[in-house]
């Protein structure tokens, strides 16, 4: 059902790619197009999620910087920064048994809820103030 040409070079590499394509997207044109469109949609959704997460953590960084600059005389400022700075990154997750960690695209929900309970009103009024 398909015209297949494996370019010169490693035949088995080309053949393996062909089998992967068929198993991933199917052999019929309509099935393949549907699978390709579905993959593109999922990729766009993931790209949108990454963009939204990046904006959210950047906004948190900007807010914390703004807050620090506007509360320099607050003696609890170092504690504030130490406690809430992890919200500027993803949640730290242990993925490997050897102790390695990675950040996932999620802010710590418990810490975020606590932050919003204490500073949410200021955070929502904060409008990308230039912190330079």
């Amino acid at each position: 059902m398909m015209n297949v040409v494996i370019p010169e070079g490693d035949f088995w590499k080309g053949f393996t790619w062909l089998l992967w394509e068929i198993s991933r997207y199917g052999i019929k044109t309509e099935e393949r197009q549907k699978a390709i469109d579905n993959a593109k949609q999922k990729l766009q959704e993931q790209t949108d999620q990454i963009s939204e997460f990046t904006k959210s953590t950047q906004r948190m960084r900007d807010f914390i910087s703004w807050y620090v600059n506007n509360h320099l005389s607050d003696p609890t400022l170092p504690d504030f920064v130490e406690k809430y700075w992890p919200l500027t990154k993803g949640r730290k997750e242990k993925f490997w048994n050897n102790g390695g960690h990675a950040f996932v695209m999620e802010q710590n929900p418990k810490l975020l809820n606590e932050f919003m309970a204490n500073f949410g009103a200021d955070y929502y009024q904060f409008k990308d103030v230039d912190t330079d």
Side-chain angles (χ1 to χ4, degrees):
M1 296 181 83
M2 297 174 67
N3 291 328
V4 176
V5 176
I6 297 176
E8 288 186 36
D10 188 348
F11 171 82
W12 292 110
K13 184 177 179 182
F15 188 68
T16 302
W17 172 84
L18 174 63
L19 292 177
W20 180 86
E21 279 280 314
I22 290 169
S23 65
R24 175 94 175 158
Y25 299 118
I27 200 164
K28 294 182 180 178
T29 303
E30 187 176 305
E31 287 177 7
R32 289 179 57 76
Q33 192 58 52
K34 186 176 179 180
I36 290 168
D37 291 344
N38 188 31
K40 285 180 180 179
Q41 181 182 355
K42 285 182 180 180
L43 180 61
Q44 184 60 51
E45 289 170 2
Q46 291 171 344
T47 301
D48 293 346
Q49 288 174 348
I50 291 168
S51 178
E52 189 60 36
F53 178 76
T54 302
K55 286 177 188 174
S56 177
T57 54
Q58 181 61 50
R59 183 168 166 79
M60 186 63 73
R61 270 192 293 283
D62 292 345
F63 175 79
I64 290 175
S65 295
W66 172 84
Y67 187 88
V68 166
N69 287 332
N70 287 284
H71 296 86
L72 291 173
S73 61
D74 184 350
T76 64
L77 201 54
D79 296 332
F80 167 82
V81 173
E82 181 179 356
K83 183 172 192 170
Y84 295 116
W85 192 255
L87 293 174
T88 67
K89 304 177 192 173
R91 182 174 46 81
K92 200 173 194 180
E93 185 72 29
K94 183 176 180 179
F95 283 117
W96 303 280
N97 289 334
N98 66 357
H101 289 85
F103 286 96
V104 293
M105 285 191 345
E106 177 185 87
Q107 291 170 304
N108 180 325
K110 185 177 177 182
L111 185 60
L112 184 58
N113 286 338
E114 180 183 323
F115 173 84
M116 288 300 171
N118 294 323
F119 302 98
D122 290 336
Y123 181 75
Y124 285 117
Q125 290 179 356
F126 174 69
K127 299 289 184 192
D128 298 327
V129 175
D130 185 21
T131 56
D132 292 338

